[in-house]
Amino acid sequence: MIDYSVIWFAIIVFATLMYIVMDGFDLGIGLLFPFNKDAGERDMMVNTVAPVWDGNETWLVLGGAGLFGAFPLAYAVIADALSIPLTAMLIGLIFRGVAFEFRFKAVEGHRAFWDKSFIAGSVIATFSQGVAVGALLDGIPVEGRRFAGSAMDWLAPFPLFCGVGLVVAYALLGCTWLIMKTENELHRKMSALATPLVIALLVIIGIISLWTPFAHADIAHRWFSKPNLFLFLPVPVLVLLCSWGIVRAIKREAHYSPFLLTLALIFLGFSGLGISIWPNIIPPSVTIWAAASPPQSQAFMLVGSLLIIPMILGYTFWSYYVFRGKIKADAGYH
């Protein structure tokens, strides 16, 4: 018998990872604006993603719609428990999107306002996403089929720290994306900024990796009991190797490998999150099967998804292929 819950969990995980990767470096550019005051270079930074940024958030919509249809209990509980950070995330994304377009159309005197709006929207959206992930990992109390906690449960040290951690992760993604897409002075500025960001992210990953097992006995057992200890040991080892590889690549003035290694680092961090919570979709107690909709509903949705997902992947690949290569100072997409 086909386990549709596992298939849908894999689809939602895939959509979430695609969103983190693609909209991550997009948001990261806004996070890096405060480190570069040059107006011309800021235009170049934005122009590296101007042709493709709209499509990046398709994966967020797919993941949210999949969660709603395949795991309605999880959707209801998460929306209730994390209503404030999720609303803040949407406001940040909307504000950032408006600022993204308006900064190119504004008169010179208004450009600074829209630049600040672009920064604020990027920070709010990224921080809120990190808080939501941290609150989910920290656990959401459920009684029966209802959220049993407070709307302010996310306002705790661990979720807030995860919010800061995601800001650093997206900033590194944006930084290495710009290393890959730019030349000359902007390329050198981003190369100088990348190593401190790698070190900061490595420290944050280390703190979270120690914090979660100390705070949650089930996560500690998952990671440190045998044979899991040996099965999962490659994850932290590969994190260290990827971080070392990014620093080495920057020192030898590589263009593509810092970004590719950062993608690998993000994937490993996401894998660690999955290992910690599986098979729960609402930690610490609600599994994917307990939160699932009827198999008939999941099967019906799966037919449409198997048609839509290849189309999204094809469009995404084609758009990035068409706009491949380095961005030029005189290039513009507005």
Side-chain angles (χ1 to χ4, degrees):
M1 183 177 178
I2 299 173
D3 194 333
Y4 291 110
S5 295
V6 173
I7 294 172
W8 268 107
F9 185 78
I11 291 173
I12 292 169
V13 167
F14 175 72
T16 305
L17 182 59
M18 290 293 287
Y19 172 76
I20 290 172
V21 166
M22 293 187 168
D23 213 38
F25 63 77
D26 184 347
L27 285 162
I29 289 173
L31 299 173
L32 293 170
F33 256 41
F35 298 95
N36 193 344
K37 307 294 185 181
D38 185 273
E41 290 183 350
R42 281 185 170 185
D43 286 347
M44 288 179 62
M45 291 167 69
V46 173
N47 275 328
T48 62
V49 295
V52 295
W53 79 277
D54 286 311
N56 293 342
E57 290 168 5
T58 305
W59 298 104
L60 181 63
V61 176
L62 177 64
L67 186 67
F68 175 77
F71 304 104
L73 173 62
Y75 183 91
V77 170
I78 291 171
D80 197 5
L82 304 177
S83 57
I84 294 175
L86 292 178
T87 301
M89 178 194 74
L90 293 175
I91 292 172
L93 290 174
I94 293 168
F95 211 66
R96 181 193 65 127
V98 171
F100 190 102
E101 300 293 342
F102 276 34
R103 67 178 301 278
F104 283 97
K105 308 296 184 184
V107 297
E108 195 60 36
H110 294 171
R111 178 70 69 88
F113 170 79
W114 292 114
D115 280 354
K116 291 175 183 176
S117 300
F118 184 55
I119 295 168
S122 300
V123 172
I124 292 169
T126 304
F127 182 74
S128 299
Q129 288 176 19
V131 168
V133 172
L136 183 66
L137 184 59
D138 212 22
I140 297 176
V142 178
E143 290 182 2
R145 299 183 65 84
R146 298 173 62 88
F147 170 56
S150 163
M152 301 302 292
D153 284 351
W154 57 271
L155 195 60
F158 182 75
L160 295 176
F161 185 78
C162 288
V164 175
L166 196 63
V167 168
V168 176
Y170 281 5
L172 178 61
L173 264 176
C175 186
T176 53
W177 167 263
L178 291 171
I179 289 172
M180 184 176 67
K181 295 290 289 184
T182 61
E183 299 174 310
N184 304 323
E185 185 60 26
L186 181 55
H187 176 88
R188 286 189 287 272
K189 287 180 180 179
M190 293 301 109
S191 296
L193 189 59
T195 298
L197 286 173
V198 171
I199 295 170
L201 182 59
L202 196 59
V203 170
I204 288 168
I205 291 173
I207 293 173
I208 291 174
S209 299
L210 293 174
W211 195 331
T212 47
F214 276 114
H216 303 280
D218 54 333
I219 295 178
H221 182 266
R222 173 71 55 83
W223 279 94
F224 301 122
S225 62
K226 295 179 181 179
N228 290 358
L229 176 63
F230 302 106
L231 292 174
F232 300 149
L233 185 60
V235 175
V237 172
L238 288 172
V239 166
L240 292 172
L241 288 175
C242 284
S243 302
W244 175 77
I246 295 169
V247 174
R248 288 266 301 181
I250 291 166
K251 286 183 178 179
R252 59 184 173 85
E253 300 181 353
H255 289 253
Y256 293 94
S257 52
F259 181 67
L260 297 175
L261 287 168
T262 302
L263 292 182
L265 191 59
I266 297 297
F267 173 77
L268 289 167
F270 195 74
S271 299
L273 172 64
I275 291 169
S276 295
I277 69 172
W278 172 262
N280 296 321
I281 196 168
I282 309 175
S285 58
V286 180
T287 67
I288 59 172
W289 300 282
S293 60
Q296 296 87 343
S297 299
Q298 292 182 333
F300 179 77
M301 290 173 55
L302 187 61
V303 174
S305 298
L306 292 177
L307 295 174
I308 292 172
I309 292 174
M311 293 175 63
I312 299 174
L313 286 170
Y315 163 81
T316 301
F317 171 79
W318 181 249
S319 60
Y320 279 87
Y321 176 77
V322 169
F323 295 101
R324 66 192 182 279
K326 298 284 187 178
I327 192 76
K328 304 298 181 183
D330 57 350
Y333 299 99
H334 291 75

